[in-house]
Amino acid sequence: MPIQILPEEVVAQIAAGEVVERPASVVKELLENALDAGADHIRVEVTGGGRQRIRISDNGCGIAPDEAPLAFYRHATSKLRTADDLTRITTLGFRGEALASIASVSHLTMVTRHESAPGGLLLRLAGGQMVEQKPVGAPLGTVITVENLFYNTPARLKFMKKDGTEKRHVALIVSRYAMAYPQVRFVLEQDGREVFRSSGSGYLGDVLVAALGLDTFRDMVELRADSSAGPIQVYGYTSVPSLHRADRTHITLFINGRWIQDTRLAYAVTQAYHTFLMTGRYPVSVLMLNLPPEDVDVNVHPTKAEVRFRDSDGVFTAVQRAVRRAIIDLAQTPAMRGGYYTEHGKLGDWHAGDVASQMDLNLELDSAGQYARQRSGLSRDEAVDPTAIPAGPGAPARPRTLPILRVVGQIGATYIIAEGPAGMYLIDQHAAHERILYEQFMEEHARQGTPTQYALAAQTLYLPPAEAHLIEAHLDVLRHVGFDLEPFGPNTFVVRAVPAMLASEAPADVLVGILEDLELGETPGQASIEDKIITRVCKQAAVKAGQILSVDEMQGLIRQLERCQTPLTCPHGRPTMIHMTTDQLARQFGRMG
Ligand code: ADP
Ligand code: MG
């Protein structure tokens, strides 16, 4: 083909492809225009996933009659005058492309009335060509109706997803803008049914209840902007560690009121949960970042969903710090705080008066082991798991990190109820045992350097090539934690020994578990490979949920937990216990004066 300059409509359609990828992109652009026009009430109606019809009505400033046709020209905008203005964009739009692009791939009708005009104006376009223009009566604001989207671009139409998928995208877009503009009332109607509404109260929390549901919102904590933190302000809501999701898509980020996609910042959020969330789980967060417009470049991509920062490290740190602070503050609220005893047996964070008066503690004499033996007639190790590693004669006595707890019973063969000087404790038996085994393992490892092994009658293990390769690559680490494995022909290994605490487990099961963890790769917030393997070993060896325990077994488990360095979370970062203080109980029963 000879070289030719393309006709205007073809250029427009090519350009439209960048801005208007799917119905949700139309909704996004029209919402941005309505918000830029200062609307505080925006209604979105969508039929047939958006391909049949999208209508967005706003009560913004409207467009003056003589300017209205101009809005459909490419590069026509009221928001930018000079290239210099690009360095301080405060509106959502600025490229002057959206209306032209949308009009070129649909049948579009606009009714608009400007504050200064006595009446409204109706414009109708088909495939970007103006086909009708007439005065009409209309309230202040703008209504844009987009019908038969992509009717003239069959290639794009072919790639359209099912209506349901498009509906979800539209709902997501509307809810995001509602979060960014809590003072604006949004209503979304799909196929005649109202599916989302925000109140316009100005409170982000109200929007989140509408967008995420009350149950999710209840498990989120507020991050307040810290005015002393410099030019980068971070605020919003983020989930408590017990609420988490399988992927990063529940981390929603806004920069100066604009939703953005930024893997690095999402990573900063995830990192803030390090040791609070298990690997491969992600928080639910809605975070607003405000920073001077000249420090952000929003003109990176036509959809304006990517940005560049002048100081991206500074932004990263600000986000990570703000989220971390919120989670740590939370972990220190009385309900979750376990308190501790110092080496000298002095009370640390517990309400000293309470404890001393309620219980006659003699920390020096009452070692955990003695107590357990008195009660159960078993050594503390036997009481839980015969294969657990004994602390050994050279082991230093560990300081107590929890007060002495008395077992009351077990719920659902999964949780242990215990009573302590400062209230009630509900303990996850599996998570608690994981924590105990993990610390015992680490302690022994540090003290002796060599892991205690349990010799097996040699077993062969055959693995698919990819997995065999993973094992091969990590043979050293595996040996270092107590697995004696030897390659034995292609994709085959001989297993001669496993870490002692796994004596009663099938080695293949354990190794498959380890492989799963290794395959997950370098997920954010993850510790070393060795740590990963040890964590898995402990998980496998720990008592499971659903396992009925005798009172003695439970008491033994708790005695050990009381001496853990970090008794409040399991090695994956999940909580091991929920604590209800005596005060909280009294309050719940209306006993407080
Ligand atoms: P941009 O938003 O980048 O300026 P658009 O093509 O989206 O480009 O819109 C072109 C112009 O039309 C805007 O600059 C604005 O002046 C006007 N406009 C579009 N939609 C509205 C609306 N809902 N209310 C008022 N003015 C609007
Ligand atoms: Mg726009």
Coordinates of all heavy atoms in Angstrom, one line a residue, residues 28-34 36 76-77 79 92-99 304, ligand 2:
K28 N -16.3 6.6 33.2 CA -15.3 7.3 33.9 C -15.1 8.7 33.3 O -15.0 9.7 34.1 CB -14.0 6.5 33.7 CG -12.7 7.2 34.2 CD -11.5 6.3 33.9 CE -10.2 6.9 34.4 NZ -9.8 8.2 33.8
E29 N -15.0 8.8 32.0 CA -14.7 10.2 31.4 C -15.9 11.1 31.7 O -15.6 12.3 32.0 CB -14.4 10.0 29.9 CG -13.2 9.3 29.6 CD -11.9 10.0 30.1 OE1 -11.9 11.2 30.2 OE2 -10.9 9.3 30.3
L30 N -17.1 10.6 31.6 CA -18.2 11.5 31.8 C -18.4 11.9 33.2 O -18.8 13.0 33.6 CB -19.5 10.8 31.3 CG -19.5 10.5 29.7 CD1 -20.8 9.9 29.3 CD2 -19.2 11.8 28.9
L31 N -18.0 11.0 34.1 CA -18.1 11.3 35.6 C -17.0 12.4 35.9 O -17.3 13.3 36.6 CB -17.7 10.1 36.4 CG -18.8 9.1 36.7 CD1 -18.3 7.9 37.6 CD2 -19.9 9.8 37.5
E32 N -15.9 12.3 35.3 CA -14.8 13.3 35.5 C -15.3 14.6 35.0 O -15.0 15.6 35.7 CB -13.5 12.8 34.8 CG -12.9 11.6 35.4 CD -11.4 11.4 35.0 OE1 -11.0 12.1 34.0 OE2 -10.7 10.6 35.6
N33 N -15.9 14.7 33.9 CA -16.4 15.9 33.4 C -17.4 16.5 34.3 O -17.4 17.7 34.6 CB -17.0 15.8 32.0 CG -16.0 15.6 30.9 OD1 -14.8 15.9 31.2 ND2 -16.4 15.1 29.7
A34 N -18.4 15.7 34.8 CA -19.4 16.2 35.7 C -18.7 16.7 37.0 O -19.1 17.8 37.5 CB -20.4 15.1 36.1
D36 N -15.6 17.8 37.3 CA -14.9 19.1 37.0 C -15.9 20.2 36.8 O -15.5 21.4 37.0 CB -14.1 18.9 35.7 CG -12.8 18.1 35.9 OD1 -12.4 18.0 37.0 OD2 -12.2 17.7 34.9
A76 N -10.2 20.0 22.4 CA -10.9 21.1 22.8 C -11.2 21.0 24.3 O -11.8 20.0 24.8 CB -12.2 21.2 22.1
T77 N -10.7 21.9 25.1 CA -10.9 21.9 26.6 C -10.9 23.3 27.2 O -10.4 24.2 26.6 CB -9.7 21.1 27.2 OG1 -9.9 21.1 28.6 CG2 -8.3 21.7 26.9
K79 N -10.0 23.5 30.3 CA -9.2 23.2 31.6 C -7.7 23.5 31.5 O -7.0 23.4 32.5 CB -9.5 21.8 32.0 CG -11.0 21.5 32.2 CD -11.3 20.1 32.4 CE -12.8 19.9 32.3 NZ -13.2 18.5 32.2
L92 N -9.8 16.9 36.8 CA -9.6 15.5 36.5 C -9.3 15.4 35.0 O -8.5 14.5 34.6 CB -10.9 14.7 36.8 CG -11.2 14.6 38.3 CD1 -12.6 14.2 38.6 CD2 -10.2 13.6 38.9
G93 N -10.0 16.2 34.2 CA -9.7 16.2 32.7 C -8.7 17.3 32.4 O -8.5 18.2 33.2
F94 N -8.2 17.2 31.2 CA -7.3 18.3 30.7 C -6.9 18.0 29.3 O -6.3 18.9 28.6 CB -6.0 18.5 31.6 CG -5.2 17.2 31.7 CD1 -4.2 16.9 30.8 CD2 -5.4 16.3 32.8 CE1 -3.5 15.7 30.9 CE2 -4.7 15.2 32.9 CZ -3.7 14.9 32.0
R95 N -7.1 16.8 28.8 CA -6.6 16.5 27.5 C -7.6 16.9 26.3 O -7.2 16.9 25.2 CB -6.3 15.0 27.4 CG -5.3 14.5 28.4 CD -5.2 13.0 28.4 NE -4.7 12.5 27.1 CZ -3.5 12.1 26.9 NH1 -2.6 12.2 27.8 NH2 -3.2 11.7 25.7
G96 N -8.8 17.2 26.7 CA -9.8 17.6 25.6 C -10.0 16.5 24.6 O -10.3 16.8 23.5
E97 N -10.0 15.3 25.0 CA -10.2 14.2 24.1 C -11.4 13.4 24.3 O -11.9 12.7 23.4 CB -9.0 13.2 24.3 CG -7.7 13.6 23.6 CD -6.6 12.5 23.8 OE1 -6.7 11.8 24.7 OE2 -5.8 12.5 22.9
A98 N -11.9 13.3 25.5 CA -12.9 12.3 25.9 C -14.2 12.5 25.1 O -14.6 11.5 24.4 CB -13.2 12.4 27.4
L99 N -14.8 13.7 25.0 CA -16.0 13.8 24.3 C -15.9 13.5 22.9 O -16.7 12.8 22.3 CB -16.6 15.2 24.5 CG -17.3 15.5 25.9 CD1 -17.9 16.8 26.0 CD2 -18.3 14.4 26.3
K304 N -5.2 8.4 32.2 CA -4.8 9.2 33.4 C -4.8 8.4 34.7 O -5.0 8.9 35.8 CB -5.7 10.4 33.6 CG -5.6 11.4 32.4 CD -6.8 12.3 32.3 CE -8.1 11.6 32.0 NZ -9.3 12.5 31.9
Ligands
MG2 MG -13.0 15.2 30.4

